[in-house]
Amino acid sequence: MKFARRIVFATVLTIVGVFFALPLTWLILAPFDGHPTMAVKWPRWTLSNFRRLLDNPYAMGSITNSLIIALGTMAVVVVLGTLASYALSRVRIPGRDGLLYGMLLLSSIVTGTAAMVPTFQLMNAIGLINTHTGVILVLAGGLLPTVVFILKDFMDSVPKSYEESARLCGAGPGRILADVVIPVARPGIAFVAIWAVVQVWGNFLVPYLLLRDPGSQPAAVVMYTFYTESGQADLRLISVFALVFAVPVLLIYFFVNRRFGFRFYGGIKS
């Protein structure tokens, strides 16, 4: 009976592994195939698809636009989220926990689709239509409640004895935050930074709604235009663009992981 359970368990894991491996295999092989299809097959090796991508007037520029929007949104949510979560962690105000849960609940209920019309009207009223700044502010506003909710747990785990020791040495609030709290909470900050980039990188609705100029649209929107003259999806261009589209997120992850490090910092929680 125990042996049979192991066989079933191994079979299920194999099926799940194949289910996730097939799209990744297609993503790696299809860009180098002269005639890619939706099926996973050994390619007819060629680099002509990459030349087609470079010849597209908007493809590579859209990657730059995606980086601007993703990194800009990440910077906004990390800075504001760190300050807000630290303040909520240290300042005792009535209804603090209810406020956090209310922000998180409302950000989940009022999705981008539901707020599409008022968001467009607001951005139009303040003159941020067709600007990366407007897209960054809208995306950051949607992510901030979740970021604050996540980072507050990391701020709560920072021992208050560290801050008290810094105050005895004459450090002010800003110095304590920069030199004591942020280094200890660095794994949480690195996590929300990567999470914010991933959430923004493939976002289609907000940039499609706010950006009218094709030259300023990110990759997720530009990919939507890759069709042949007959109206069929251009798999040669889509496959190679999908591969290029995935590389920056992986590089950002490894950079953040190496630069900030997901290491444990010891201490006694007060």
Side-chain angles (χ1 to χ4, degrees), residues 87 123 270:
M123 291 296 105
S270 60

Side-chain angles (χ1 to χ4, degrees), residues 154-228:
F154 285 92
M155 297 301 177
D156 289 341
S157 67
V158 178
K160 294 182 181 178
S161 58
Y162 290 2
E163 301 175 51
E164 293 168 356
S165 299
R167 289 193 186 95
L168 291 176
C169 295
R175 187 70 177 273
I176 292 174
L177 178 64
D179 294 343
V180 178
V181 177
I182 289 180
V184 179
R186 185 166 59 177
I189 296 174
F191 166 76
V192 298
I194 296 174
W195 178 80
V197 170
V198 172
Q199 294 296 314
V200 172
W201 190 252
N203 190 284
F204 173 83
L205 179 62
V206 174
Y208 182 75
L209 179 68
L210 299 181
L211 298 176
R212 303 289 88 192
D213 181 14
S216 62
Q217 291 175 340
V221 178
V222 170
M223 188 184 295
Y224 182 73
T225 64
F226 290 164
Y227 291 93
T228 62

Side-chain angles (χ1 to χ4, degrees), residues 79-120:
V79 172
L80 296 184
T82 300
L83 296 175
S85 61
Y86 179 65
L88 289 172
S89 175
R90 294 298 185 262
V91 178
R92 301 293 178 180
I93 59 176
R96 181 190 63 181
D97 293 337
L99 174 63
L100 282 172
Y101 282 106
M103 290 170 54
L104 186 63
L105 180 63
L106 289 176
S107 66
S108 301
I109 295 175
V110 184
T111 61
T113 304
M116 184 168 53
V117 174
T119 297
F120 181 84

